[in-house]
Amino acid sequence: QICLSLVKLLFYLAHSPLGSIVLLDFQPRQFVMVDGNLKVTDMDDASTEELSCKEDKDCTLDFPTKSFPLKCSAVGKCEGINEKKNLFNAYRYFFTYLLPHSAPPALRPFLGDILNATGDLRYGINETLKAFEKVLHLYKSGLYLQKRPLLLKDYISLKGFRTVEGEDYKCWPSYSHLGCLLSVHSAEEAAAICNSQSQCQSFIVTQRRTWTGRPLASFQSSLTDLIPDANAVVYIKRSTSSGERL
């Protein structure tokens, strides 16, 4: 969410009515999330000036660990230097820390491609936004889920009940520090996640939603007290221990 919002912001800056705007003091502390959108808190160090040049060798974009040769345009300006500077700073301050760690495994190659392409400045902001929107579509639609055996049939479903949420085993990247609360596309994906975790014996797909509209599923190592809830379903692994508890 943070990276996509940042890319949308940089897309606007690259195509603003004032021209391409560069953030000269590009640091994470310069940004804040407001209602799910990333905002710049200080525009004092923003500039629309693009580096003047006479030939291509005047247009080297230097960073502490990398340098990029750019073209000198016919009007004597380094082509796209403001856009590219913003994008590489987004890569080194945000993408490298946030992109690789919390996506479903099937989506990580797509994010890896974005990471590599922005790190080498092979993508401009237009291509980067398009790539992010593709990943978001795959994520929200569930199209990233590979065809696999249906696992939900291995679970007993108790309709009209939910479990008491409390401290349980931890998982990454959980939305709760008390236990294992993950975003899922469906109960079928939740069953696959539960099967992949040795501690998991039951789960419930909650009514809570993430910013993408996906529900949150709570995974538990044992059945706690059941509470009547007309809108809920508890899924329990079909095992001897589960049968005994029922």
Side-chain angles (χ1 to χ4, degrees):
Q1 181 181 17
I2 293 171
C3 291
L4 175 62
S5 188
L6 176 59
V7 168
K8 288 180 177 179
L9 173 62
L10 297 187
F11 179 85
Y12 173 78
L13 294 179
H15 302 284
S16 85
L18 299 176
S20 183
I21 298 174
V22 63
L23 301 176
L24 299 175
D25 185 19
F26 197 117
Q27 300 284 341
R29 65 174 179 267
Q30 298 288 80
F31 300 89
V32 64
M33 290 292 285
V34 180
D35 296 328
N37 295 304
L38 206 67
K39 306 284 187 181
V40 183
T41 60
D42 184 2
M43 292 293 289
D44 289 346
D45 294 309
S47 174
T48 57
E49 291 295 319
E50 293 200 301
L51 188 64
S52 297
C53 58
K54 291 183 178 179
E55 49 189 338
D56 289 351
K57 69 178 183 180
D58 299 328
C59 293
T60 300
L61 183 56
D62 289 315
F63 292 96
T65 58
K66 279 189 176 183
S67 294
F68 300 95
L70 304 181
K71 296 288 185 182
C72 182
S73 71
V75 295
K77 297 289 183 181
C78 296
E79 288 185 359
I81 192 167
N82 288 352
E83 173 188 328
K84 293 179 184 296
K85 188 171 184 178
N86 283 342
L87 190 53
F88 190 79
N89 277 328
Y91 160 80
R92 67 183 184 135
Y93 287 119
F94 286 88
F95 297 172
T96 54
Y97 297 105
L98 299 177
L99 284 186
H101 304 297
S102 60
L107 287 179
R108 288 174 193 167
F110 295 98
L111 295 177
D113 289 343
I114 293 174
L115 202 60
N116 292 334
T118 53
D120 294 335
L121 285 184
R122 286 185 286 110
Y123 280 1
I125 192 61
N126 294 2
E127 296 85 355
T128 303
L129 179 57
K130 185 177 180 181
F132 266 99
E133 288 178 337
K134 177 183 177 181
V135 174
L136 179 63
H137 172 68
L138 293 173
Y139 184 60
K140 291 174 69 173
S141 65
L143 289 172
Y144 68 91
L145 294 168
Q146 300 171 349
K147 290 185 178 180
R148 63 183 77 181
L150 297 178
L151 301 173
L152 203 57
K153 59 181 173 51
D154 297 330
Y155 289 77
I156 299 167
S157 62
L158 290 179
K159 296 181 180 179
F161 291 94
R162 62 179 173 85
T163 55
V164 177
E165 286 192 40
E167 190 166 351
D168 208 315
Y169 76 93
K170 311 296 191 298
C171 67
W172 175 260
S174 178
Y175 282 78
S176 169
H177 67 281
L178 295 176
C180 187
L181 186 67
L182 300 174
S183 163
V184 297
H185 177 257
S186 62
E188 187 62 51
E189 184 181 13
I193 292 172
C194 189
N195 272 24
S196 70
Q197 298 175 345
S198 59
Q199 308 99 311
C200 184
Q201 294 299 320
S202 66
F203 67 87
I204 178 173
V205 180
T206 73
Q207 299 298 306
R208 284 176 283 174
R209 302 267 170 175
T210 69
W211 65 281
T212 60
R214 288 163 53 101
L216 292 174
S218 177
F219 300 88
Q220 297 179 327
S221 59
S222 60
L223 269 181
T224 55
D225 294 336
L226 296 178
I227 301 173
D229 186 334
N231 298 316
V233 182
V234 179
Y235 297 90
I236 307 158
K237 276 185 179 176
R238 292 181 183 273
S239 64
T240 303
S241 58
S242 295
E244 289 174 351
R245 285 197 295 270
L246 288 175

